[in-house]
Amino acid sequence: MNESQIDLAHTVALGSIGHEDQRAVAEILDTDDSVLRAAFTQEVQQTREALALAASTVAVPPPPALRDRLLAAIATDPAAPNHHSHPNLHHGNGRSPSTVHD
């Protein structure tokens, strides 16, 4: 299967298929290429299973020390953005206060 067909299988699994895509799916399912047909069907099924698994997961709160460890790691990372180096930026939307209009 090519990338377009894989994307199409994911669209089918999500249930968000449009009219043009329906024709493309019909072509794949009606093809004489049994390998393509089977691969497409398997991709749809695996994607549906992955979506069902993701939907059934429950969020677990992170360990309490995680925030402190992340902030410490960011503070020591020279590649981390330094918000203090741009005093004219408004932190809420990235625009300077002089360009904010209410």
Side-chain angles (χ1 to χ4, degrees):
M1 279 193 341
N2 62 38
E3 288 295 318
S4 176
Q5 292 164 332
I6 292 170
D7 289 345
L8 189 58
H10 295 169
T11 302
V12 170
L14 287 166
S16 59
I17 191 164
H19 294 296
E20 277 186 36
D21 290 338
Q22 287 177 349
R23 283 187 286 255
V25 170
E27 288 176 15
I28 292 172
L29 296 177
D30 292 340
T31 185
D32 291 333
D33 185 347
S34 61
V35 173
L36 173 60
R37 214 174 34 246
F40 184 82
T41 303
Q42 181 179 15
E43 187 68 29
V44 170
Q45 183 61 34
Q46 288 175 342
T47 303
R48 285 180 176 157
E49 290 170 4
L51 291 169
L53 181 62
S56 69
T57 60
V58 177
V60 177
L66 180 60
R67 183 177 191 276
D68 294 333
R69 288 195 317 259
L70 286 173
L71 291 175
I74 292 169
T76 60
D77 183 357
N82 183 354
H83 296 289
H84 300 292
S85 66
H86 303 288
N88 293 332
L89 290 181
H90 183 269
H91 293 289
N93 61 15
R95 297 183 290 180
S96 68
S98 63
T99 61
V100 176
H101 302 288
D102 291 324

